[in-house]
């Protein structure tokens, strides 16, 4: 399948939240979002907003969504499926992915994975890459690029349109 990309300017944290809310209805069990970008780029902020949006849609109460920096994985009930939020920064190698149970979770949960380069060969072919970047001129905000199989991006495009207009 051909790869495709979409790019969006997120001028402030509220825009990151709004984008996560717009994306939520298009995501479900078996989707894997790989969250790239340097320290502080907004990977956890996006995951937090997405978990909150998914739980709200499912009629579930808000829950704290801490960074999984030290636990490596935090799991959440999103109603019809689980959400696994992982931060692999401290993982030593691909064996750790198995130990965490993340390879199995990628089949039936919605997985949000920070520092996903640690996945190595465990990276699912259908994964969608979200890259958060600082604007080049030191301006506020973030630039977000989505890349992945064309069919997956077609599914997410309406959320882009909602935020970009
Ligand atoms: N669109 C945005 N514009 C400006 N600031 C933003 C935007 N989105 C999120 N932020 C802010 O950027 C910071 C992102 O921190 P966060 O912990 O999410 O980074 P991270 O990418 O997960 O870093 P790490 O690699 O350490 O896990 C937060 O302070 C958040 O409020
Ligand atoms: Mg983080």
């Amino acid at each position: 399948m051909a790869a495709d990309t979409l790019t969006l300017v997120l001028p402030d944290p509220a825009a990151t939240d709004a984008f996560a809310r717009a994306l939520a209805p298009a995501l479900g069990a078996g989707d894997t979002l790989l969250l790239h970008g340097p320290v502080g780029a907004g990977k956890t902020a996006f995951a937090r907003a997405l978990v909150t949006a998914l739980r709200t849609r499912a009629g579930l109460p808000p829950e704290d969504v801490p960074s999984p920096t030290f636990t490596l994985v935090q799991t959440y009930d999103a109603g019809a499926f689980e959400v696994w939020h992982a931060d692999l920064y401290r993982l030593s190698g691909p064996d750790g992915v198995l130990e965490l149970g993340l390879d199995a979770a990628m089949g039936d949960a919605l997985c949000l994975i920070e520092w996903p380069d640690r996945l190595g060969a465990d990276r699912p072919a259908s994964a969608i890459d979200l890259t958060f970047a600082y604007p080049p001129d030191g301006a506020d905000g973030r630039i977000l690029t989505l890349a992945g199989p064309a069919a997956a991006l077609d599914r997410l495009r309406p959320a882009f349109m909602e935020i970009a207009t």
Side-chain angles (χ1 to χ4, degrees), residues 44 67 87 114:
T44 297
S67 173
D87 182 335
E114 301 185 41

Side-chain angles (χ1 to χ4, degrees), residues 3-33:
D4 204 352
T5 66
L6 296 167
T7 300
L8 190 64
V9 176
L10 300 169
D12 51 33
T16 299
D17 288 1
F19 177 62
R21 274 197 304 277
L23 209 54
L27 295 171
D31 285 329
T32 296
L33 303 187

